[in-house]
Amino acid sequence: MAFIELINFKKIRKALWYLLCVIISISLQNLLCSRIALFGVHAFFIPVVVIAFGVFEGAVWGASLGLITGYFCDITMLESTVLFMVLFAALGFAAGFLAEFIINRRFFSYFVLALSGLILTVICQIVPLWIFKGTSLLQLLPTMILQILWSAPFTVPAYFAVKAVSIKRKEEDE
């Protein structure tokens, strides 16, 4: 009986809600965005979801959820090894740290962080093509810009979805 009293069921419920957000996001990415290509470029909105986790839940939860999200992203994409797992953990931690100590949790601050995260993600995706395959940066630049532009509109639903889950969880904790 004493062991069950040590378990924090509120944190377990919160983690399950966020895991549901991760599963829905990965499913939308893989089932919807991977099928729709504008000018041959697909949107990749998962980094903005991870940044929203960090902004609303802090550095530890942002890094943890980023690690989980990155793991699921890596296992669902053929060309990735551990890139997204490491990158999303770092993005979630950085967003959480900045939201806790430097910036506010308003939409504009989140939007700037999300665009920065999208730019960093695109850079991490093209570096192997540039260095190891010898592809010219001038050839990769249009794809980079288009991926950022196609992914940017997803910042709005990601912000409000994670904010709704965060507010709901905080109301239940009180």
Side-chain angles (χ1 to χ4, degrees):
M1 185 67 179
F3 178 70
I4 292 185
E5 292 174 358
L6 296 175
I7 298 173
N8 190 343
F9 289 106
K10 291 178 183 177
K11 285 188 179 180
I12 291 174
R13 264 195 310 267
K14 180 170 145 178
L16 290 174
W17 274 104
Y18 281 121
L19 187 60
L20 181 66
C21 286
V22 168
I23 291 170
I24 290 171
S25 299
I26 298 283
S27 299
L28 285 174
Q29 176 68 47
N30 291 333
L31 297 175
L32 182 66
C33 291
S34 67
R35 305 282 187 246
I36 300 170
L38 298 171
F39 300 113
V41 179
H42 301 278
F44 187 62
F45 70 91
I46 301 298
V48 300
V49 175
V50 170
I51 289 172
F53 290 150
V55 165
F56 287 110
E57 290 301 327
V60 173
W61 278 89
S64 302
L65 291 167
L67 189 70
I68 293 167
T69 307
Y71 173 74
F72 284 129
C73 256
D74 283 332
I75 63 172
T76 58
M77 295 187 181
L78 296 174
E79 70 275 356
S80 182
T81 53
V82 295
L83 168 72
F84 295 128
M85 192 166 63
V86 173
L87 178 65
F88 291 169
L91 286 177
F93 178 80
F97 181 82
L98 290 172
E100 284 182 33
F101 298 111
I102 298 173
I103 64 170
N104 60 16
R105 289 179 165 90
R106 305 275 186 220
F107 180 75
F108 182 74
S109 301
Y110 159 76
F111 187 74
V112 170
L113 282 177
L115 283 181
S116 302
L118 288 173
I119 291 168
L120 186 63
T121 302
V122 167
I123 288 171
C124 289
Q125 286 176 315
I126 63 120
V127 163
L129 294 173
W130 176 50
I131 293 175
F132 299 120
K133 304 251 182 187
T135 308
S136 169
L137 280 177
L138 292 176
Q139 292 175 331
L140 295 171
L141 192 62
T143 305
M144 292 171 54
I145 293 170
L146 287 175
Q147 181 174 333
I148 293 167
L149 289 176
W150 298 161
S151 304
F154 290 100
T155 57
V156 177
Y159 175 82
F160 289 109
V162 174
K163 183 178 180 180
V165 171
S166 173
I167 289 172
K168 181 73 173 158
R169 297 295 104 213
K170 287 180 182 170
E171 287 174 358
E172 287 180 2
D173 288 346
E174 294 173 353

